[in-house]
């Protein structure tokens, strides 16, 4: 699995407008709707599901990153939206720090192994401070995509 | 370092909530906790959710858990129990 296969380029937001969790998630869901990854009529349902999941336990796992996610029976392919927040979003993170990089992950419900593989891919990079810093400092979609392509290139094929 | 082997049995594998439960349980002990897939090389820190998620442990994956220091045996028992009761999910 590669970032370029799962990240929806039109759903990369280099500067999130909101610093509130639910609003930031809404920005990312709306970007996926605009990119036609999510049908318009499913927008509210997805948003509600992602927020409900956050309320059960924050996906702000520390180090300024959060990976909100939802599994859906209507999603055919795994899709990721990325939001960068220079100001930081209050995600109720486990380490209480504001979140600067958000990876919103939509996974097909019937393919739990894809979901786990995507988590591995994402955290395989997010654990590196260098990657987190570059991502946080990216100011354009192109800069984010370049960073992801570099990450893809650094992974051994398997 | 003494270690135990456990098999991930819940349908969805070691996704975020089980990884969180694992890391929090591990974090409750002073012993160090290292985890790896038995079909892999890399050891990860069992007290880190992010690192646990890097294992991409699907249902059926066998994990080796190595604990060391003071309450190592208690930590191993608690983590084995958590995995065996499938993280209290399906």
């Amino acid at each position: 699995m590669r970032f370029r296969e799962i990240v929806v380029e039109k759903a990369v937001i280099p500067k999130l407008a909101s610093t509130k969790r639910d609003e930031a998630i809404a920005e990312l869901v709306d970007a996926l709707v605009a990119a036609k990854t999510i049908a318009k009529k499913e927008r509210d349902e997805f948003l509600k599901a992602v927020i409900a999941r956050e309320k059960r336990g924050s996906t702000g796992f520390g180090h300024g990153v959060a990976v909100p996610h939802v599994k859906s029976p209507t999603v055919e392919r795994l899709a990721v939206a990325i939001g960068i927040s220079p100001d930081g979003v209050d995600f109720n993170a486990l380490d209480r720090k504001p979140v600067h990089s958000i990876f919103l992950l939509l996974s097909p419900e019937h393919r739990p192994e894809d979901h786990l593989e995507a988590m591995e891919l994402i955290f395989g990079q997010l654990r590196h401070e260098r990657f987190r810093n570059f991502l946080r400092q990216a100011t354009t979609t192109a800069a984010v995509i370049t960073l992801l392509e570099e990450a893809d290139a650094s992974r051994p094929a398997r | 370092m003494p270690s135990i082997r456990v098999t991930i049995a819940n349908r969805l594998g070691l996704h975020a909530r089980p990884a969180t439960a694992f890391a929090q349980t591990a974090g409750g002990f002073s012993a160090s906790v290292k985890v790896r897939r038995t079909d892999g090389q890399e050891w990860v820190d069992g007290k880190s959710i992010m690192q646990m998620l890097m294992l991409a442990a699907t249902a059926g994956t066998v994990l080796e858990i190595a604990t060391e220091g003071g309450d190592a045996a208690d930590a191993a028992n608690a983590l084995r129990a958590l995995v065996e009761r499938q993280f209290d999910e399906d």
Side-chain angles (χ1 to χ4, degrees):
Chain A
M1 189 179 283
R2 307 268 163 186
F3 281 115
R4 285 302 267 143
E5 297 160 5
I6 60 171
V7 172
V8 180
E9 188 165 342
K10 285 180 183 159
V12 173
I13 306 179
K15 192 176 189 315
L16 288 165
S18 181
T19 57
K20 295 199 173 80
R21 180 192 71 189
D22 295 359
E23 291 172 13
I25 292 172
E27 284 182 61
L28 291 167
V29 171
D30 285 337
L32 286 170
V33 171
K36 297 194 177 3
T37 303
I38 297 177
K40 212 171 201 161
K41 60 176 173 28
E42 290 178 330
R43 185 254 184 205
D44 291 350
E45 194 185 322
F46 270 111
L47 182 58
K48 234 164 79 182
V50 176
I51 291 170
R53 167 64 187 82
E54 272 320 301
K55 286 181 176 163
R56 285 203 302 273
S58 176
T59 63
F61 297 129
H63 298 294
V65 300
V67 185
H69 54 268
V70 63
K71 299 186 182 92
S72 159
T74 60
V75 169
E76 277 303 315
R77 286 188 65 221
L78 199 131
V80 177
I82 297 177
I84 313 292
S85 172
D87 300 327
V89 178
D90 179 2
F91 236 82
N92 191 26
L94 301 184
D95 63 359
R96 303 280 153 209
K97 290 184 180 153
V99 161
H100 295 282
S101 309
I102 303 171
F103 284 64
L104 173 67
L105 180 57
L106 300 183
S107 323
E109 197 168 50
H110 58 288
R111 298 185 60 85
E113 63 283 3
D114 280 7
H115 177 80
L116 293 176
E117 207 181 326
M119 283 290 199
E120 184 216 357
L121 175 67
I122 291 167
F123 286 113
Q125 293 303 322
L126 285 179
R127 70 172 166 153
H128 299 302
E129 191 182 357
R130 183 176 170 276
F131 182 87
R132 293 198 301 267
N133 287 341
F134 276 123
L135 189 60
R136 182 175 163 177
Q137 288 157 13
T139 53
T140 63
T141 296
V144 174
I145 296 294
T146 301
L147 188 61
L148 297 177
E149 282 173 347
E150 283 171 11
D152 281 340
S154 72
R155 269 171 79 87
R158 55 169 173 175
Chain B
M1 197 185 285
S3 73
I4 58 167
R5 289 185 172 210
V6 293
T7 303
I8 299 295
N10 56 311
R11 185 175 61 88
L12 298 176
L14 194 75
H15 62 101
R17 262 174 296 138
T20 303
F22 191 101
Q24 284 174 349
T25 300
F29 295 92
S30 62
S32 72
V33 177
K34 301 286 173 201
V35 184
R36 73 170 173 183
R37 300 172 63 107
T38 52
D39 61 357
Q41 300 295 321
E42 197 182 358
W43 288 94
V44 304
D45 181 356
K47 298 184 182 188
S48 160
I49 299 169
M50 285 198 202
Q51 292 192 31
M52 289 301 295
L53 284 169
M54 283 183 48
L55 294 171
T58 51
T61 300
V62 182
L63 297 179
E64 184 175 3
I65 304 172
T67 57
E68 192 170 39
D71 49 10
D74 291 340
N77 286 336
L79 293 168
R80 184 204 298 278
L82 179 66
V83 175
E84 283 181 352
R85 64 173 197 266
Q86 304 188 13
F87 307 96
D88 302 317
E89 58 177 36
D90 64 308

